[in-house]
């Protein structure tokens, strides 16, 4: 009995390590183990020599061995034409399963367009944290504590630390760039910003901005106008007209808002432009001397301009999206429409 068991062990090892390379090897295996004169038969023949009291135990061992030998054969049996692989035969001529491909988000596409337009006139991209401290989001931007302009932006505060806010604009990134003290600077700051607004078709608690900052010796308002004019003609077409209206931002002086001629009606009046022929697209101005001083930059030597636009707004004007909520609902029917832009 002992030697029979050892013999079986050796055969088991042989079976376990067996992988046929082709149909012939599998057939050889079948004849060797499962054929009429095969090893399984032969070993079962040994049963007659096993003492009666061991017959039950030996029977179990032999049956297990037979099952193992058969299972190995079954594993490869269905493989024909030399295509020996594990698992069921595969029809390699069948078309594959189509995996749906996602698309870029429209806001990201428009952000990329804005960035590539400004890159052509020397702007590089800078990013910063979405949780900001008071200094970078407000105070350094000429909005000290209790300054009424803070109310222009409904702020989310971080409850653990009264000094922290969710940034209300990406001007905070401009502050961080100025802080580095390397001049001249010409940066674009795209990113997500947060304001405590009730969600509706026209307002959301978060949106995206792209702000720009250029500081050097001799930068003038004319440079600002020219850069922005270049931007809108690239973005909305060469016939786009612009106009500037005086405005107020604490961090710029003078400040302006820029309108473009309506992209839908061309100026004759429609719903997008509320029948005025103009749509507002951004705020801008010359960097306030106080802000330059906050970062140790001498306003007598350096001047700069800044501008900031909402990416949702640009997308809305360019592609006539009339409900801000669509951007964050992740409805593929909406997202897919931007596939080819
Ligand atoms: N930070 C302003 C806003 O969020 C936009 C702006 C940027 C205006 C730079 C002027 C200059 O509304």
């Amino acid at each position: 009995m002992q030697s029979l068991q050892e013999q079986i062990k050796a055969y088991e090892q042989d079976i376990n390590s067996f992988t046929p390379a082709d149909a012939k090897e599998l057939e050889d295996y079948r004849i060797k183990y499962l054929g009429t004169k095969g090893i399984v038969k032969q070993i079962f023949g040994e049963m007659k020599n096993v003492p009666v009291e061991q017959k039950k135990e030996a029977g179990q061992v032999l049956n297990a061995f037979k099952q193992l030998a058969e299972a190995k054969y079954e594993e490869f049996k269905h493989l024909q034409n030399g295509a020996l692989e594990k698992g069921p035969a595969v029809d390699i001529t069948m078309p594959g399963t189509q995996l749906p491909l996602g698309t870029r988000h429209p806001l990201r596409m428009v952000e990329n367009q804005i960035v590539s337009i400004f890159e052509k006139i020397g702007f590089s991209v800078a990013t910063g944290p979405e949780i900001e401290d008071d200094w970078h989001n407000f105070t350094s931007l000429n909005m000290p504590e209790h300054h009424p302009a803070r109310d222009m932006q409904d702020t989310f505060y971080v409850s653990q630390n009264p000094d922290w806010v969710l940034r209300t604009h990406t001007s905070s990134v401009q502050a961080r760039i100025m802080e580095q003290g390397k001049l001249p600077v010409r940066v674009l700051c795209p990113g997500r910003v947060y304001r405590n607004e009730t969600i509706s078709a026209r307002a959301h608690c978060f949106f995206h901005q792209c702000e720009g900052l250029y500081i050097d010796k001799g930068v003038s308002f004319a440079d600002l106008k020219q850069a922005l004019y270049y931007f809108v003609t690239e973005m909305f077409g060469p016939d786009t007209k612009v106009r500037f209206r005086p405005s107020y931002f604490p961090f710029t002086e003078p400040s302006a808002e820029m309108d473009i001629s309506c992209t839908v009606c061309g100026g004759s009046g429609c719903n997008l432009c509320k029948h005025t022929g103009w749509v507002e697209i951004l705020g801008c101005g010359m960097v306030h001397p106080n802000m330059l001083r906050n970062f140790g930059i001498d306003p007598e030597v350096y001047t700069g301009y800044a501008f900031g636009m909402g990416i949702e707004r640009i997308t809305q004007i360019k592609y006539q999206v009339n409900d801000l909520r669509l951007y964050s609902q992740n409805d593929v029917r909406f997202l897919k429409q931007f596939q080819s832009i």
Side-chain angles (χ1 to χ4, degrees):
M1 177 66 192
Q2 192 55 40
S3 69
L4 184 62
Q5 264 181 350
E6 273 164 21
Q7 233 178 336
I8 289 174
K9 262 214 182 83
Y11 287 137
E12 278 175 354
Q13 266 174 18
D14 182 44
I15 291 170
N16 283 332
S17 62
F18 173 70
T19 308
D22 53 27
K24 177 165 184 318
E25 275 190 29
L26 184 63
E27 180 60 6
D28 291 348
Y29 167 89
R30 191 190 64 78
I31 293 166
K32 180 177 171 191
Y33 281 100
L34 306 169
T36 36
K37 292 183 186 148
I39 290 167
V40 171
K41 278 260 157 58
Q42 194 187 314
I43 291 212
F44 267 79
E46 301 285 331
M47 269 296 265
K48 59 180 183 300
N49 304 327
V50 175
V52 181
E53 64 279 12
Q54 289 179 16
K55 273 207 193 315
K56 192 178 164 209
E57 193 198 335
Q60 283 169 354
V61 173
L62 292 192
N63 271 325
F65 173 65
K66 184 177 171 209
Q67 274 162 21
L68 177 78
E70 285 173 350
K72 190 67 163 196
Y73 181 68
E74 291 298 321
E75 193 181 327
F76 293 100
K77 187 176 79 173
H78 50 272
L79 298 169
Q80 295 147 357
N81 305 332
L84 275 169
E85 289 168 46
K86 280 201 169 189
V90 174
D91 180 356
I92 57 169
T93 63
M94 272 181 42
T97 318
Q98 286 256 314
L99 295 176
L101 197 61
T103 58
R104 284 213 171 87
H105 194 280
L107 293 176
R108 178 68 76 188
M109 292 192 207
V110 171
E111 182 189 302
N112 289 346
Q113 289 174 14
I114 298 170
V115 168
S116 68
I117 292 170
F118 280 102
E119 268 174 355
K120 290 198 191 105
I121 53 169
F123 281 80
S124 52
V125 170
T127 54
E130 291 184 13
I131 298 176
E132 241 333 335
D133 53 40
D134 183 277
W135 168 254
H136 292 99
N137 195 79
F138 291 125
T139 307
S140 70
L141 301 169
N142 202 29
M143 280 188 267
E145 217 182 329
H146 306 307
H147 192 290
R150 288 189 179 216
D151 298 339
M152 284 164 67
Q153 304 179 345
D154 295 303
T155 310
F156 283 117
Y157 289 86
V158 177
S159 54
Q160 281 90 335
N161 186 334
D163 194 46
W164 288 349
V165 299
L166 298 187
R167 69 179 178 195
T168 58
H169 48 187
T170 58
S171 305
S172 57
V173 184
Q174 305 183 352
R176 285 179 177 275
I177 292 292
M178 289 168 75
E179 190 172 62
Q180 290 171 5
K182 283 188 218 114
L183 292 173
V185 289
R186 197 175 345 211
V187 288
L188 211 56
C189 310
R192 180 173 290 182
V193 301
Y194 300 83
R195 291 186 196 175
N196 191 358
E197 307 245 11
T198 310
I199 296 171
S200 71
R202 319 191 91 246
H204 213 296
C205 60
F206 67 82
F207 60 100
H208 299 78
Q209 282 191 328
C210 198
E211 299 211 352
L213 172 73
Y214 176 35
I215 304 175
D216 201 349
K217 288 176 183 158
V219 177
S220 71
F221 201 90
D223 296 319
L224 170 64
K225 284 171 83 172
Q226 192 53 45
L228 293 178
Y229 183 61
Y230 157 76
F231 164 69
V232 297
T233 50
E234 287 288 305
M235 192 70 178
F236 298 105
D239 298 331
T240 316
K241 294 184 195 64
V242 297
R243 75 174 185 190
F244 289 81
R245 286 175 289 106
S247 184
Y248 171 76
F249 299 103
F251 32 86
T252 47
E253 182 59 38
S255 304
E257 271 163 323
M258 190 175 87
D259 299 341
I260 60 169
S261 50
C262 182
T263 50
V264 169
C265 63
S268 57
C270 69
N271 275 344
L272 176 67
C273 61
K274 298 194 200 94
H275 301 280
T276 63
W278 296 94
V279 285
E280 182 196 323
I281 67 159
L282 55 80
C284 59
M286 300 305 291
V287 180
H288 198 290
N290 286 350
M291 184 170 170
L292 293 173
R293 277 188 216 103
N294 281 340
F295 293 101
I297 301 168
D298 184 351
E300 299 300 324
V301 181
Y302 283 96
T303 49
Y305 65 67
F307 57 87
M309 64 186 96
I311 299 176
E312 278 83 347
R313 177 78 176 144
I314 303 289
T315 315
Q316 178 202 12
I317 294 168
K318 193 154 178 182
Y319 300 108
Q320 276 93 61
V321 178
N322 287 325
D323 190 332
L324 269 178
R325 293 167 292 196
L326 287 166
Y327 293 118
S328 49
Q329 280 165 342
N330 274 340
D331 185 334
V332 286
R333 290 167 304 179
F334 169 72
L335 298 173
K336 268 196 172 156
Q337 294 175 44
F338 298 86
Q339 222 156 5
S340 57
I341 67 170

